Amino acid sequence: MECSVDDVYETKGFESFICTLDNVYAEETVLNVSGKIDYHTLKPVLFEMPTYEYLRTGDVIGNCLSPGKELKAQKEKCRGNENESSCT
């Protein structure tokens, strides 16, 4: 990644950098057919503070929009039909 530093926040023992992402580079082996990064292939690493640990990203644990879509569909189904057992 290529970044520009926009601001620096100094706290006791640390400096935090606020950056703008200027460019992202990736080897072709981690790109999908659309030319976007395939995170299942890349498997990015995260750094966690204050434990100073590097974490490997893992499996997909859910789709962020699915639960909301399911709830919305159930509410629409129940509209005007509140006596149905699945609508309580």
Side-chain angles (χ1 to χ4, degrees):
M1 287 191 280
E2 184 179 334
C3 302
S4 298
V5 177
D6 294 327
D7 205 350
V8 179
Y9 291 94
E10 294 186 32
T11 58
K12 185 178 178 180
F14 293 99
E15 291 180 329
S16 298
F17 298 91
I18 307 302
C19 299
T20 298
L21 205 57
D22 297 323
N23 288 300
V24 176
Y25 304 95
E27 293 182 10
E28 289 186 20
T29 57
V30 298
L31 301 180
N32 63 21
V33 294
S34 302
K36 303 288 183 184
I37 294 174
D38 179 348
Y39 290 99
H40 298 285
T41 303
L42 177 64
K43 297 181 181 173
V45 174
L46 307 172
F47 177 70
E48 183 193 28
M49 296 279 281
T51 62
Y52 296 96
E53 293 178 318
Y54 290 101
L55 307 170
R56 181 184 349 241
T57 58
D59 298 327
V60 175
I61 59 172
N63 183 323
C64 90
L65 300 178
S66 295
K69 286 181 182 178
E70 292 167 7
L71 181 60
K72 182 179 178 182
Q74 181 182 355
K75 284 185 176 185
E76 288 175 359
K77 178 183 172 188
C78 291
R79 204 170 273 141
N81 198 11
E82 288 82 10
N83 294 331
E84 190 174 316
S85 63
S86 64
C87 296
T88 55

